[in-house]
Amino acid sequence: MQVLENDILVHRYFGKKVNQFSSSNKITYLDRAFSPSPISGNRTFSLDTLSMEYSSNGLGDFRAAAIEVRNEFGTALDLRYQTHRIFKGKKKLLDLPASFASEEEVETLEIDLYDQLTDVTVTLSYSVFEEANFLARSVVIQTGRYPSTLETALSFMLDFPHQDFAIHSLTGRYGYEKEWTVTPITKGKYSIGSIRGASSHSRTPFLALASKDVTEDYGEVYSAHLVYSGNFTGFVETTALETCRWGMGLNDWGFCWKLEAHQSFQTPEALLSYTDRGLTGMTQTSHAFLQKHLVRSPFANKPRPILINNWEATYFHFTEEKILSLAREAQQAGIELFVLDDGWFGKRNNDESSLGDWYVNKEKLPNGLNGLAEAINDLGMEFGLWFEPEMISVDSELYRKHPDWAIHIKGREHIYSREQLVLDLSKKEVCDYLIDSITRVLQSANITYVKWDMNRNITSISEGQANATKHEFYHRYILGLYRILDTLTQAFPHVLFESCAGGGGRNDLGMLYYMPQAWASDNTDAIGRLSIQEGTSLIYPIASMGAHVSAVPNHQVGRITPFSTRGNVAMLGNLGYELDLTALSDSKKKEVASQTALYKSIRQTVQFGNIYRLQQTENTKAYTYVNKDKSQAVFTFVKILAQPEAPLVQVRLKGLEERALYHCPQLDASFYGDELMNIGLTMPHIQKDFFSVQYIFNKI
């Protein structure tokens, strides 16, 4: 960055570290038509042509604004450098999740920009994690003498001197989340975002700009994550001068924030990184940073248990004996955790009732949660529980007592999704109720795992929500949610929390801060899961990704896939099962036991090793997971459809030690690492749909 003579802060460079900056990319001032100048008599100086560090509209910069503050003087801010501070360590963000580190691992720069007319101070924060290769950015907006309304507040803005990029994002829909999407930069503006009240199934708060010729191993990649779980925006805007502006932050749709005199607003944090090691470099850098500096949970570096969830086995219709019969089969198969899903509370037998009534249904569970947990613990397994705390059913004791707690527009009929409404988490009393009721449940039994679900987006915002200001509601809702999560996760550090929102509908870094893993998708089909898990693992640690083996025909798509392929694909994440084990044949039960035993031997490598995406086509997928000391590698290959006269497929592995000898028990053969990486393996030529292999290589 550089402070110009008139105290305007401009951007000079972001990218690979250099030994010393000597202004080789000299600022060139030219007289540009229709680019107004704030300096009388100087037609070459314009905010519209400079690389700005954090810019407002209205004074000559016609690109997308990073900030907009409305007060009696209008909306334009003339932000001038005032002062800066550099210190070891990093401050906590008020009421928001954010990255963290020791004082030795991070250094922070704060820059105060000041608008004299409006008496508004904008503090830009930059925390440099030098070893981790990440930069955390956020902004605080502080009013002075005058009340103001904040209408736009990006967490970061970055101007590039060129536009030679392709944009990488994660798109999709319910059951098809985290679809890795590559979009060429074109004239105009590319944007992603959500106005659903959650980050959403269809958009992820992440954007990467990569060189057009980027590969897995080579090329430049600039990446940005937003640590936030609500409405957001991210964009790349090109200009007529063939530069581009990149930004991310709160979505300004439905947002404004009233600031009285001498009040402040904190934006969510954005995490930026750069690599010249291609897409694999981006993935591995992101995994390492998030695992160490964002996942706050005590479980961050602990192996995750193999679980069974009863949902697709029973749905709502279960008894205590049925649950215990499933648990007995699971224990015999080597499964370590039983998770009781929806239907255990209130009078819940379908989607239409009881959300909000967090007390046990004694008709289904006559011995209560404690009795069930003890019986499952006696089998040597842990016990976990499903919640959907943010929702309320009209047919519930809670709604009959507090109908005003549901988000609604007075005088309008309710809009339903899955027959449920959303609780107003902008209200302190609602948050207090959820904290108290969930605390009572978690204290009532030996519960060591919680699946926290959220199956409905927000509608029907009225002026009655969020202190009578509907445009503050969405952010206040998220602040209420974060308060609940912060309180509960700190009160129950022994509980492994998993986030879920109809699968990946709120799988973002805000949730990952509190909950170290997420249910990646409700789609449990092995073939459908390939793209979902690849997109998720593009930026999120493998240890955060739940993946289950389910029954066939698959309950979402009706596909019939081999049991081995379902296991191999699920073992690309945190292995679990979601099917009726009591209905399996003896041979299939043995296969489950074999899968769990194998996964335990590779769990550390899968969950905490390095992932390499290998030769990828529309019909084949291949991956290698390699542990940190390169003593073990897990190779998985999946062929989707059989083809006539199909060519042979040869796959080269990555990440091994070249001169080390590796033994593969599945092939009953040993290979040196350089042979596996330079020559590769010929895949079996099996003419069957959905065929897969999994090979384990152990260093001798």
Side-chain angles (χ1 to χ4, degrees):
M1 290 169 280
Q2 180 181 346
V3 181
L4 301 181
E5 293 80 359
N6 51 6
D7 292 331
I8 289 177
L9 183 67
V10 296
H11 180 77
R12 297 304 305 273
Y13 174 73
F14 178 77
K16 189 171 184 176
K17 185 176 180 180
V18 297
N19 290 324
Q20 178 177 309
F21 179 65
S22 300
S23 198
S24 59
N25 60 339
K26 181 181 177 182
I27 299 175
T28 302
Y29 296 101
L30 298 172
D31 185 354
R32 297 289 192 182
F34 290 90
S35 292
S37 174
I39 303 174
S40 178
N42 184 351
R43 294 174 51 156
T44 68
F45 187 94
S46 174
L47 304 182
D48 196 37
T49 60
L50 288 168
S51 291
M52 302 294 293
E53 190 62 30
Y54 201 76
S55 182
S56 170
N57 288 148
L59 297 176
D61 187 349
F62 296 105
R63 295 164 289 183
I67 185 168
E68 191 169 289
V69 176
R70 184 177 298 279
N71 51 37
E72 62 184 272
F73 304 101
T75 60
L77 288 179
D78 186 10
L79 296 173
R80 304 294 178 112
Y81 168 83
Q82 188 177 53
T83 187
H84 73 272
R85 299 164 293 281
I86 297 175
F87 53 89
K88 293 287 187 182
K90 181 178 184 291
K91 296 177 182 177
K92 289 186 177 181
L93 267 62
L94 181 65
D95 300 327
L96 287 166
S99 57
F100 53 83
S102 66
E103 285 195 359
E104 293 72 32
E105 294 173 308
V106 62
E107 189 174 54
T108 298
L109 163 68
E110 290 181 344
I111 303 174
D112 291 341
L113 304 179
Y114 179 65
D115 179 73
Q116 186 172 19
L117 178 65
T118 63
D119 198 22
V120 169
T121 302
V122 175
T123 300
L124 309 180
S125 176
Y126 306 76
S127 293
V128 179
F129 297 78
E130 186 172 2
E131 295 240 349
N133 196 33
F134 259 84
L135 173 68
R137 292 186 60 173
S138 64
V139 180
V140 173
I141 298 94
Q142 171 83 46
T143 56
R145 301 185 300 277
Y146 311 107
S148 297
T149 300
L150 183 62
E151 297 186 347
T152 298
L154 295 183
S155 296
F156 85 95
M157 184 187 87
L158 191 59
D159 284 346
F160 286 97
H162 64 87
Q163 50 189 245
D164 299 326
F165 297 116
I167 304 168
H168 293 247
S169 60
L170 295 173
T171 62
R173 58 184 180 271
Y174 171 74
Y176 192 61
E177 299 92 332
K178 298 290 188 287
E179 185 69 9
W180 184 356
T181 303
V182 182
T183 308
I185 283 188
T186 58
K187 302 295 183 183
K189 189 175 182 180
Y190 173 90
S191 66
I192 61 170
S194 173
I195 58 172
R196 293 174 172 268
S199 50
S200 85
H201 295 89
S202 56
R203 299 290 185 268
T204 297
F206 157 81
L207 278 178
L209 301 183
S211 51
K212 294 176 181 178
D213 59 351
V214 72
T215 68
E216 283 290 341
D217 303 306
Y218 305 103
E220 293 188 306
V221 186
Y222 302 82
S223 63
H225 304 262
L226 189 67
V227 187
Y228 193 63
S229 307
N231 293 350
F232 77 97
T233 187
F235 68 88
V236 179
E237 181 186 39
T238 62
T239 72
L241 298 179
E242 298 186 0
T243 64
C244 72
R245 173 166 288 180
W246 185 27
M248 190 173 284
L250 294 171
N251 198 316
D252 57 13
W253 177 91
F255 170 81
C256 66
W257 197 271
K258 189 173 182 180
L259 292 170
E260 300 296 343
H262 305 292
Q263 287 188 337
S264 64
F265 181 87
Q266 171 70 63
T267 72
E269 183 171 86
L271 301 173
L272 279 69
S273 189
Y274 164 85
T275 182
D276 60 359
R277 297 190 296 114
L279 297 163
T280 297
M282 179 189 72
T283 293
Q284 294 181 359
T285 301
S286 180
H287 286 192
F289 178 84
L290 298 178
Q291 199 74 16
K292 183 176 181 180
H293 296 295
L294 187 89
V295 180
R296 187 183 67 172
S297 168
F299 288 88
N301 298 302
K302 293 181 180 179
R304 308 300 161 79
I306 302 171
L307 65 84
I308 183 166
N309 183 300
N310 71 293
W311 179 242
E312 289 192 18
T314 67
Y315 293 102
F316 293 107
H317 310 296
F318 59 82
T319 63
E320 185 176 275
E321 180 50 40
K322 177 62 178 179
I323 295 301
L324 290 174
S325 68
L326 283 169
R328 286 189 285 269
E329 293 288 355
Q331 185 272 335
Q332 289 292 316
I335 295 171
E336 301 159 320
L337 165 67
F338 190 98
V339 180
L340 179 61
D341 211 279
D342 197 354
W344 59 267
F345 54 92
K347 298 177 181 178
R348 181 82 162 173
N349 293 304
N350 52 44
D351 281 337
E352 298 178 5
S353 77
S354 301
L355 287 170
D357 296 345
W358 299 112
Y359 54 86
V360 69
N361 183 330
K362 286 294 189 75
E363 291 183 10
K364 290 183 179 180
L365 303 175
N367 293 301
L369 289 174
N370 187 50
L372 179 62
E374 286 183 351
I376 289 174
N377 292 160
D378 288 344
L379 293 171
M381 298 175 66
E382 295 184 72
F383 178 66
L385 201 59
W386 177 95
F387 287 90
E388 193 171 3
E390 298 162 69
M391 303 298 146
I392 184 171
S393 302
V394 170
D395 182 10
S396 68
E397 294 302 318
L398 182 63
Y399 185 84
R400 285 185 276 274
K401 186 176 180 181
H402 293 290
D404 56 308
W405 284 9
I407 298 170
H408 67 284
I409 298 175
K410 187 176 181 180
R412 289 195 184 276
E413 294 291 325
H414 286 314
I415 295 174
Y416 294 96
S417 179
R418 297 182 85 243
E419 301 303 316
Q420 61 196 48
L421 306 175
V422 185
L423 285 168
D424 185 352
L425 300 194
S426 72
K427 294 181 176 179
K428 181 180 183 299
E429 60 270 28
V430 176
C431 297
D432 290 342
Y433 168 78
L434 291 178
I435 291 169
D436 292 344
S437 58
I438 294 169
T439 295
R440 285 195 296 271
V441 173
L442 294 181
Q443 289 176 340
S444 72
N446 186 23
I447 297 165
T448 58
Y449 173 99
V450 164
K451 179 181 178 182
W452 184 292
D453 211 343
M454 189 278 288
N455 284 308
R456 186 201 194 285
N457 291 143
I458 296 174
T459 59
S460 306
I461 307 302
S462 75
E463 292 291 347
Q465 263 96 36
N467 301 328
T469 309
K470 67 178 180 181
H471 293 296
E472 294 186 1
F473 172 78
Y474 286 104
H475 187 56
R476 290 192 182 278
Y477 179 97
I478 294 297
L479 293 178
L481 171 64
Y482 287 158
R483 178 188 158 227
I484 295 168
L485 299 183
D486 186 65
T487 303
L488 291 174
T489 55
Q490 295 210 61
F492 298 95
H494 67 287
V495 174
L496 172 58
F497 285 84
E498 178 181 79
S499 68
C500 176
R506 199 171 58 190
N507 188 1
D508 54 60
L509 298 193
M511 296 303 293
L512 188 63
Y513 175 83
Y514 300 103
M515 300 188 175
Q517 67 185 55
W519 179 225
S521 179
D522 282 353
N523 182 354
T524 59
D525 170 60
I527 302 305
R529 269 300 185 115
L530 288 171
S531 67
I532 294 167
Q533 293 178 183
E534 182 174 282
T536 302
S537 64
L538 180 68
I539 51 175
Y540 295 162
I542 301 299
S544 73
M545 184 170 67
H548 294 177
V549 176
S550 63
V552 294
N554 178 263
H555 290 198
Q556 289 79 46
V557 301
R559 193 171 0 243
I560 298 175
T561 52
F563 201 87
S564 59
T565 294
R566 283 176 271 158
N568 290 342
V569 173
M571 280 190 264
L572 293 169
N574 294 339
L575 177 63
Y577 291 83
E578 195 157 332
L579 73 174
D580 189 349
L581 292 175
T582 66
L584 297 182
S585 65
D586 289 343
S587 64
K588 281 290 184 288
K589 291 177 183 178
K590 289 180 180 178
E591 200 167 348
V592 174
S594 177
Q595 287 177 350
T596 60
L598 176 63
Y599 188 73
K600 290 173 185 177
S601 73
I602 63 174
R603 173 163 41 192
Q604 190 73 26
T605 296
V606 170
Q607 294 181 2
F608 301 104
N610 287 324
I611 179 176
Y612 296 88
R613 293 173 291 270
L614 307 178
Q615 176 182 323
Q616 308 285 331
T617 71
E618 290 185 2
N619 201 47
T620 61
K621 296 288 184 181
Y623 308 91
T624 301
Y625 292 71
V626 184
N627 64 359
K628 298 301 182 183
D629 64 5
K630 300 186 178 183
S631 63
Q632 184 180 71
V634 179
F635 169 82
T636 304
F637 170 82
V638 181
K639 180 182 70 177
I640 297 173
L641 294 177
Q643 298 171 330
E645 291 296 325
L648 290 173
V649 177
Q650 197 156 326
V651 183
R652 297 179 184 181
L653 279 65
K654 294 180 181 178
L656 305 178
E657 188 178 325
E658 288 190 356
R659 299 195 176 190
L661 186 62
Y662 293 87
H663 180 71
C664 177
Q666 292 80 15
L667 296 173
D668 192 23
S670 297
F671 310 89
Y672 280 95
D674 59 354
E675 180 182 1
L676 293 171
M677 293 190 293
N678 294 317
I679 300 175
L681 290 167
T682 301
M683 296 296 98
H685 193 67
I686 305 295
Q687 288 295 74
K688 292 182 180 179
D689 291 344
F690 320 127
F691 169 76
S692 69
V693 295
Q694 183 185 74
Y695 299 146
I696 315 302
F697 295 90
N698 293 305
K699 184 177 174 181
I700 298 175

